[in-house]
Amino acid sequence: MGTERSAVTVIGLGQMGSALAATLLERGHPTTVWNRSTAKAEPLVERGARQAATPEEAVAASSLIIVCVLDYDALHATLDPVAASLAGKSLVNLTSGSPEQAQEVAAWARSHSADYLDGAIMTTPPGVGSPEMMFLYSGSHAVFATHRPTLAALGDPLHLGTEPGLASLYDAALLGLMWSTMTGWLHGTALVGAERTEATAFTPVAIRWLSAVTGFLTTYATQVDAGHYPGDDATVDVQIAAIDHLLHAASARGIDNALPELLKATMERTRDAGHGSDSYASVIEVLRKGAAGA
């Protein structure tokens, strides 16, 4: 009837690893789990998981091995002793780390005849299982294609390319976007809050504004790829003048201005580099040069 689900092993049962295993169980996947601290497996065993006694037993139980541990040191401490048993297995690594670490582990996996797929989880544990949450993957397209139905149980799986470090690189870039956006929202919330506007009143307006900002991003992406920044909407010079109003309003209300001051300084560096009459997308030219371009 086409309802059979593939077996999977989950190694690492912290908050995220436990959420991964619980979701796989809920979706009907025979799930083997292993964790250094065996007590963390007990709630999953009660829900139907099989608890492996050793990492080697966990690896032997399934063709698909998902690893989600604290860091890469923990990954190596767990898998190095059983590396020979990984031959012919599909190893999906959801441990947070750098692109360079992902590339190193991909090479390590290849040396032990394992197919490797690196991943980044773009949600917190409560979001695991939601089709709206992205799981980013890079590395072996064969692993991704073969195990896509299983990976889709965890969230919306996106394969970014065969370079193993891409998922980690996107993860870092998207977290930077998140922190910048959230801090900007909090600064704005503090600003309007100084006039007794509640966050719950301000936020729907902020979200509507962000939907407009996504349109700017789409327009600017084409400019960034072309390296051409026509200032036919709002130039860097105009943005510098506009941010002064924000700085004044926040200062008058005792709001910390470190973030907008940083933004203004970046805009001014862009203007000084000759992009004052260009669109805001030209800021990327300064960002790419870093401190050397200041």
Side-chain angles (χ1 to χ4, degrees):
M1 301 204 35
T3 58
E4 184 176 350
R5 299 288 187 268
S6 300
V8 59
T9 289
V10 177
I11 293 178
L13 299 176
Q15 286 186 325
M16 185 61 78
S18 293
L20 298 173
T23 299
L24 290 165
L25 286 168
E26 290 170 2
R27 305 298 166 84
H29 291 273
T31 304
T32 299
V33 298
W34 181 87
N35 192 71
R36 185 177 58 180
S37 172
T38 58
K40 290 187 176 180
E42 292 175 2
L44 294 163
V45 171
E46 292 175 358
R47 299 170 69 171
R50 173 176 176 264
Q51 183 175 6
T54 65
E56 188 168 22
E57 183 181 326
V59 169
S62 313
S63 62
L64 173 61
I65 316 299
I66 295 177
V67 182
C68 185
V69 291
L70 178 63
D71 53 30
Y72 276 73
D73 288 340
L75 183 149
H76 281 293
T78 301
L79 294 184
D80 282 358
V82 299
S85 65
L86 290 170
K89 302 286 185 176
S90 296
L91 179 62
V92 177
N93 179 27
L94 297 178
T95 301
S96 295
S98 69
E100 290 72 24
Q101 287 174 313
Q103 291 163 355
E104 182 271 326
V105 173
W108 173 87
R110 284 195 302 271
S111 73
H112 295 288
S113 302
D115 289 328
Y116 181 79
L117 188 66
D118 200 75
I121 304 170
M122 306 310 298
T123 184
T124 55
V128 174
S130 169
E132 297 179 355
M133 298 301 173
M134 294 188 299
F135 277 60
L136 308 180
Y137 296 98
S138 57
S140 171
H141 191 271
V143 172
F144 181 80
T146 299
H147 297 288
R148 194 185 190 286
T150 303
L151 299 176
L154 304 175
D156 185 17
L158 303 179
H159 190 262
L160 302 173
T162 57
E163 168 55 48
L166 276 174
S168 291
L169 191 64
Y170 267 65
D171 181 36
L174 292 172
L175 287 174
L177 175 62
M178 177 191 73
W179 291 320
S180 298
T181 302
M182 290 180 65
T183 305
W185 165 71
L186 288 168
H187 186 273
T189 299
L191 180 58
V192 299
E195 301 295 337
R196 302 184 182 279
T197 298
E198 294 184 344
T200 50
F202 172 65
T203 298
V205 180
I207 291 173
R208 184 172 177 180
W209 171 237
L210 286 175
S211 68
V213 173
T214 61
F216 304 156
L217 299 185
T218 301
T219 297
Y220 287 161
T222 302
Q223 296 182 12
V224 167
D225 286 345
H228 178 61
Y229 314 101
D232 52 7
D233 54 358
T235 65
V236 171
D237 285 336
V238 168
Q239 305 286 14
I240 291 172
I243 202 169
D244 277 335
H245 305 317
L246 170 59
L247 288 163
H248 175 79
S251 178
R253 289 159 180 80
I255 307 302
D256 182 281
N257 261 335
L259 177 61
E261 285 170 353
L262 173 63
L263 297 175
K264 182 181 179 183
T266 305
M267 294 178 202
E268 289 176 334
R269 287 169 53 205
T270 304
R271 176 199 62 199
D272 294 345
H275 296 287
S277 60
D278 291 341
S279 76
Y280 194 82
S282 64
V283 170
I284 197 170
E285 297 294 340
V286 169
L287 296 177
R288 282 171 171 162
K289 295 178 182 177

